[in-house]
Amino acid sequence: MKRKITALCLGLFVLLLSGMSLLAKVNADEAATFNAEDIYERTESAVFYIRALNGDGILKASGTGVILSPEGIAATACHVIKEGERLEGIMGDGRTVSPIEVLNCDEQTDAAILKLPIPDSGLGEHVAYHSLQVRETAVKHGEKVFAIGYPMKDSPIISEGIINSPNAQINGRGRILTSAQIVSGMSGGPIIDRYGRLSGIISGSLKTMNNIHLVIPMDDLRNLLPSQ
């Protein structure tokens, strides 16, 4: 009898621990999600305004970029930079970084990879860029996402929406579709999930569907990243 009671108590104890572990995991998952205010505060310093200039310094195009690594690897949309002879970035704190090197620009996918110059602290020491965590898994139908970009040089904005389709075939290319509001100048900016992870790059709008916008999937971006 004592053995049965001991076994029963042990079983209940194991179930209790399992329940506590599950509850802790749920709470941890809930604590790891962010609203629009949190997302903006956590990511704004990794998003910047891009100016594509010709040889005479005249503005050819402008858009948005996002930093992927502390060393200054960044991403944008190819159509933003392809006609520029020189690129410069304006950071959220007003600093200008230049020249920006184009490592890859794929007009088919509209993805582009950049290398920002290594920033100097002013004391002869290099400092790291703030960068975003890159999402490894594909987005899903209905997920909440946020878009950040620069419609104007000094006016970054954030909008909120959902993933309408994680893999719509547009002109023979897989594209993410989102209802997060996109306006001119936000091209090249990040689409961020509720965990604060980079989940795609803004490409443009879909003319055949009102308020549905095109996003470059992360796989297209990864294919252009330099080898480690």
Side-chain angles (χ1 to χ4, degrees):
M1 184 68 179
K2 290 183 178 180
R3 289 182 180 179
K4 290 183 179 180
I5 294 175
T6 301
L8 179 60
C9 290
L10 181 59
L12 290 173
F13 181 66
V14 170
L15 286 174
L16 179 61
L17 285 179
S18 299
M20 291 175 64
S21 297
L22 179 61
L23 180 60
K25 184 180 184 303
V26 170
N27 289 337
D29 289 343
E30 291 177 351
T33 62
F34 305 102
N35 61 24
E37 182 180 359
D38 297 328
I39 290 291
Y40 186 80
E41 289 180 354
R42 292 171 63 88
T43 62
E44 62 172 323
S45 56
V47 183
F48 60 97
Y49 175 73
I50 294 179
R51 289 164 46 89
L53 311 169
N54 67 11
D56 298 325
I58 297 174
L59 183 67
K60 295 287 292 182
S62 63
T64 303
V66 56
I67 302 172
L68 308 180
S69 78
E71 297 77 27
I73 299 297
T76 189
C78 185
H79 76 265
V80 170
I81 62 169
K82 67 178 183 179
E83 295 183 4
E85 296 181 38
R86 181 168 64 87
L87 303 178
E88 64 180 25
I90 314 296
M91 310 306 290
D93 59 8
R95 289 180 297 122
T96 298
V97 294
S98 182
I100 295 176
E101 179 184 359
V102 179
L103 300 183
N104 268 309
C105 186
D106 186 345
E107 293 188 40
Q108 294 299 314
T109 62
D110 199 29
I113 300 295
L114 311 174
K115 177 66 172 70
L116 278 57
I118 298 175
D120 196 302
S121 65
L123 301 174
E125 299 176 352
H126 295 316
V127 295
Y129 284 101
H130 179 68
S131 58
L132 294 189
Q133 178 186 357
V134 175
R135 177 170 171 151
E136 297 296 331
T137 57
V139 294
K140 300 177 181 179
H141 279 96
E143 272 195 71
K144 180 184 289 188
V145 290
F146 305 88
I148 297 180
Y150 278 84
M152 296 178 287
K153 175 183 173 183
D154 300 317
S155 302
I157 68 170
I158 183 170
S159 61
E160 180 179 328
I162 63 169
I163 297 296
N164 302 109
S165 174
N167 187 27
Q169 295 300 308
I170 308 294
N171 297 325
R173 294 281 176 181
R175 284 287 180 267
I176 297 169
L177 301 184
T178 182
S179 63
Q181 185 61 44
I182 306 297
V183 296
S184 179
M186 293 178 73
S187 290
I191 292 294
I192 302 167
D193 68 14
R194 64 188 185 280
Y195 299 99
R197 302 173 300 188
L198 177 65
S199 303
I201 298 294
I202 299 166
S203 181
S205 297
L206 192 61
K207 296 179 180 179
T208 57
M209 299 182 191
N210 291 333
N211 301 317
I212 301 296
H213 308 282
L214 300 170
V215 178
I216 303 165
M218 292 307 301
D219 282 348
D220 287 344
L221 209 63
R222 289 190 189 92
N223 290 337
L224 300 183
L225 286 171
S227 300
Q228 298 297 322

